[in-house]
Amino acid sequence: MSIERRVQLVENLFLQLEKESTKFQQTSGIGCITGCGKCCTYPDVEASPLEFLPWAFHLFLNGEAEKTLLLLNKSTDLTCMIYKPLSIIGQGRCSDYKYRGLICRLFGFAANTDKYGKLRLATCKIIKEGQPENYNKTADAITKDLSIPVFTEYYMQLNQIDFHLGNIILPVNKALKMALEEVLQYYAYRPMPVNGKNALPA
Ligand code: SF4
């Protein structure tokens, strides 16, 4: 499948998740603190290359893919390279929020299934401790009938787009690197896409 088709399918999945998580956030009242970004600073964030294919393709279209790949190859930093700290007190933000990955869109507002088959809200300590009433109410409601995005369901849908790139889970910077390599290799012997569209069928 062409890069553009895969990018389009991943973006459709993000759109579907956006609608589901907006509804969940409105019903639950749970929300991130403006300018927090703490979860992006964890060195153990993991993702699949496929969820960053739209990001890599966007950089490629803007002539920034090779430069970014060089930076990633040189870096030993475990924090997501897209994260930009804004202050010494730990605040920061995603510098490419529109192109963030699936894990970034799910964390905080999605559930995992525990060993008893029950849904468990996967969120951060800041939300748990800072919004205890909404957190407890929501944790209880999702075991009953409150609709919530589920990690495994979204990752299964991602795998169906490209099993190879969707099924590998890597430290986030390795996933970014592999997404860039995929795009650069794909276009190494193909014409540049015209206005974001490929000139020739893949
Ligand atoms: S892509 Fe953006 S939202 Fe996702 S971990 Fe990196 S900085 Fe955070």
Side-chain angles (χ1 to χ4, degrees):
M1 198 190 298
S2 73
I3 289 281
E4 285 154 284
R5 181 71 186 136
R6 280 179 284 167
V7 165
Q8 188 185 30
L9 291 173
V10 174
E11 286 181 340
N12 289 349
L13 185 65
F14 288 170
L15 205 62
Q16 175 194 322
L17 173 57
E18 183 78 30
K19 286 183 191 152
E20 206 186 340
S21 42
T22 302
K23 207 167 145 207
F24 170 73
Q25 286 179 52
Q26 284 165 350
T27 318
S28 67
I30 283 181
C32 293
I33 299 165
T34 310
C36 175
K38 180 86 179 161
C39 57
C40 304
T41 64
Y42 296 138
D44 54 357
V45 175
E46 291 187 323
S48 66
L50 185 58
E51 64 199 82
F52 283 106
L53 204 63
W55 170 80
F57 186 56
H58 166 71
L59 291 192
F60 177 72
L61 291 179
N62 287 285
E64 290 172 13
E66 274 143 349
K67 186 181 72 184
T68 310
L69 185 58
L70 282 176
L71 287 176
L72 276 165
N73 280 334
K74 277 192 215 150
S75 170
T76 52
D77 197 349
L78 295 178
T79 303
C80 178
M81 72 101 65
I82 303 178
Y83 177 76
K84 291 286 168 277
L86 294 176
S87 74
I88 50 164
I89 55 157
Q91 289 201 313
R93 64 177 176 85
C94 177
S95 63
D96 242 337
Y97 192 73
K98 186 177 168 193
Y99 294 100
R100 69 200 188 283
L102 181 60
I103 189 69
C104 324
R105 294 164 196 263
L106 284 167
F107 187 70
F109 307 103
N112 278 317
T113 311
D114 70 12
K115 59 180 178 181
Y116 305 107
K118 291 248 184 222
L119 290 177
R120 299 272 173 224
L121 179 61
T123 195
C124 69
K125 204 172 159 193
I126 296 171
I127 288 182
K128 266 188 212 167
E129 292 176 359
Q131 303 166 38
E133 207 175 301
N134 281 342
Y135 172 77
N136 290 329
K137 186 186 70 182
T138 305
D140 185 46
I142 63 171
T143 63
K144 295 171 184 152
D145 57 0
L146 178 65
S147 173
I148 181 169
V150 177
F151 277 80
T152 44
E153 288 174 7
Y154 272 93
Y155 272 95
M156 266 168 56
Q157 290 191 64
L158 190 74
N159 288 349
Q160 283 163 14
I161 298 169
D162 178 333
F163 186 76
H164 173 62
L165 288 184
N167 203 38
I168 314 170
I169 298 296
L170 299 168
V172 65
N173 286 335
K174 288 204 163 58
L176 295 174
K177 182 171 165 317
M178 199 164 167
L180 284 170
E181 286 167 349
E182 177 76 10
V183 174
L184 288 167
Q185 277 164 20
Y186 183 89
Y187 285 108
Y189 300 105
R190 289 178 172 89
M192 278 287 288
V194 179
N195 297 326
K197 302 275 177 227
N198 205 343
L200 293 173

